[in-house]
Every structure is written in C-alpha cells, then in structure tokens.
Amino acid sequence: MTTVKAYGAINATDPLEQLTIERREVGPHDVLIDIDYAGICHSDIHTIRGEWGPITYPQVVGHEIVGRVAAVGSDVTKHRVGETVGVGCQSSSCRECAQCRQGHDQYCLKGNVQTYDGVDVDGTITQGGYSEKTVIDENFVVTIPESLDRAKAAPLLCAGITLYSPLKHWGAGPGKRVAIVGMGGLGHMGVKIAAALGADVTVLSRGTRKREDALAFGASRYVDTTDAEAMKELAGSFDLIVNTVSAPIDLASYLTLLDVDGALVVVGAPPEPFAVPAFSLIPARRTLAGSTTGGIPEIQEMLDFCAEHGILPETELIEVDDINAAWKRVLDADVRYRFVIDTKTFR
Ligand code: NAP
Ligand code: ZN
Ligand code: ZN
C-alpha cells in the first residue's frame, strides 16, 4: 500500500477537504500513474451528495484523469513509463460477458468497477482522481495522443466519450439534424463532436449567454429554451436530441421536437424521474433512450478522433484550494465549460 494525498468528502454535506488515501501495490498488470490533471464532472457532485443513493465516505471522486505512467507491473505490455495516459469512469470489468467481449465494458453484465465508489477486484472501495497518484489495470488505461494538450484533455475521458458514444451510435453525421440540450461540460463537447462528425447542430440552452460560444463550437443554430415561441417553431425538426441537463426537465416538450423515427437520448442524470406521456412517443414512432460513457476501445477511438479534428474541451485550470468554489460554480451553471484541477497543487 502507498499513501497518497487527495481531496475528498467525509460526508454528503461538508466541503471537500485534504485527506490521504491508500493505493494498492502495483500488480503484474497494473500501471502506477502520477496524476497531473483531473476534470470536475457534475457526476462527482451527484455522487458525493448521495443523490444517486448512499455511498461510502471518505470518498475521493474524479473520473477524468490525465497523468504520466510512473511505473508498470511485470506483465504490462500496453503502456510504458513516461507515457501520457488517461483513465475514465471504468477501471475494471469482468472482461468475459457478451458486452465486455465486444469492448462495451461500460455495459458489463456483471457490473463494471467504477473509478470511484466502486468495489474493486480486491474488495476495497475505489477512490478517484482528485489525488496525486492512482494504480489501474493496464487494460483500463488509455493513451492520450501527443498532439492533444495534456492540460486540457482530461474532460474527454468522461464528458467527451459520454457524447461521442451516443452520437456515433445514433448516426450523427451529414444530413442528420442533432440538438444538444444543456451546454455545460458534456453539452459543449457534444456540440464540438457532432459538428466534427458533420451533423447539423442546434444548441438548446437557457437564456442567451451561451449563444456566441455555441456558434463558435460549431452549432448552426442556438435556441433559448425559455423562449416558448422559438421552441414551438422547432416541433418535429430533429433526428436526434441528446439531453445533457443535470436537473429534471420536461422531457415531453423535447420529445415533440423530434421528427418521425427520431430519438431522444438521456445522458444527464438527475435523481428525479421524468414524466413521459405515451402520446409524446406514439404518434411519430419516437424513441426515448439512455446512454452511458463508452467502452475502452471507443474511448481510444474518441481520443484519436479529437486529435485528428483538433477538438479539445474549453477548460479553466484551478488549484486544489479552489475545488469547493468550483463545485459551487458548476451547480450555478457558471462554468465555461469544464474545471480541471492541477493536482500538482496538492500540499
Ligand atoms: P454541467 O457542466 O453542470 O452542465 C449541466 C447543464 O445543464 C448546465 O450547463 C445547464 O445548461 C443545464 N442545467 C443545469 N441546471 C438546469 C436546470 N435547473 N434547468 C435546465 N437546465 C439546467 O454538468 P455535466 O458535467 O455536463 O453533467 C451533466 C449531467 O450528465 C449530470 O447529471 C451528470 O451526472 C450526467 N453525466 C452522465 C454521464 C453518463 O454516462 N450518462 C456521464 C457524465 C455525466 P444551460 O446553462 O446551457 O441551460
Ligand atoms: Zn463524468
Ligand atoms: Zn463484463
């Protein structure tokens, strides 16, 4: 066991604080990573606050991790010391089920090991990336392409893949009319990726503050969701809508914006249930679906796609002492568009 500095929660309500956690010894298939950057995802906040159910404290969150390989186990072949690598939401899975065999470890039928608050292979509770170092199985570590700015790449490991996967699955590309609902960390990656895939992208966001940014990220249109008339005009006009909103919204009104055979994919994960009237789906053979992150092969594919297309998140680099203030700004939707913690500022 190695003791490392971290920043985490001791309960659901108090501010996060400096603490120390234990990392396992580097096993034959493990990689020791010196963490440099950790993105702040809204899921970190839902989790610590117990909004998705009870969790184990103390808990260190963070599943958008970028760092350098500091050591490798005796049987490691995928990674070498000094390489810039990333870790996302899953840090292990059964590798044997039908989903894992297809590379869809995010849908492991036996339940994968989440990077934080998961039950690890040795029975301990996993602790995430707001820390100095971590030890991860080499098969759950991805390579960050050299051309990507490593200080900005961390949010790709969750926000990037969580939008890339459904956009690819539902065929976002030339001729497809795609709407992204909510333009926070996930949403802004959705705009950039859908535009790079060749889709016609509309951003649906509250107010007009983010209009210029949405157009700069590649959207062809921006509609203020508080403008009832403008929303009404969008009826039946999309093939795919991806909802990234962290709070409950009136899904029924968004379903009516889909054309016949259109799909609305939920990735935003508020704890409250959605109300879905049958007749928001039936008359136009609409699909309501969900999607989570992406498997390891698809994460690597997404990173390579972002490198090829020069796609990076918009980030604000913060020091460890700024984490609690940053969480508040995430809750206030006052983040443009992802906070990244410089973990070298741990004291
Ligand atoms: P975020 O940066 O806070 O963005 C959420 C956006 O939702 C905000 O920027 C805002 O967009 C909109 N919003 C927030 N409160 C709202 C309200 N009361 N009414 C209407 N719109 C509101 O969060 P994020 O990190 O992108 O995460 C978004 C959600 O996805 C979270 O629930 C998170 O847990 C979930 N998530 C899911 C997965 C998955 O695998 N499915 C992965 C990662 C995250 P506007 O200001 O543009 O309106
Ligand atoms: Zn996340
Ligand atoms: Zn599996």
Side-chain angles (χ1 to χ4, degrees), residues 113-199:
V113 179
Q114 291 286 295
T115 299
Y116 56 76
D117 199 45
V119 181
D120 211 345
V121 279
D122 60 3
T124 57
I125 301 297
T126 56
Q127 303 281 344
Y130 296 13
S131 70
E132 284 180 309
K133 296 170 195 288
T134 190
V135 177
I136 305 281
D137 183 291
E138 63 168 332
N139 294 303
F140 289 82
V141 175
V142 291
T143 303
I144 305 295
E146 276 178 20
S147 66
L148 286 179
D149 179 347
R150 52 200 308 282
K152 287 182 165 285
L156 297 175
L157 279 315
C158 174
I161 187 60
T162 300
L163 271 292
Y164 181 84
S165 186
L167 287 167
K168 288 285 289 203
H169 185 81
W170 274 275
K176 292 278 183 185
R177 300 157 299 170
V178 174
I180 304 290
V181 188
M183 201 170 81
L186 266 59
H188 94 292
M189 288 313 305
V191 179
K192 291 187 179 203
I193 292 169
L197 287 167

Side-chain angles (χ1 to χ4, degrees), residues 94-95 97 100 108-109:
C94 88
R95 298 165 212 203
C97 74
C100 284
C108 174
L109 299 175

Side-chain angles (χ1 to χ4, degrees), residues 207-231:
T208 54
R209 297 166 303 148
K210 297 178 180 173
R211 181 187 296 273
E212 298 307 315
D213 287 347
L215 300 178
F217 299 157
S220 65
R221 183 166 52 173
Y222 177 101
V223 176
D224 173 359
T225 54
T226 65
D227 181 342
E229 274 309 304
M231 289 294 281

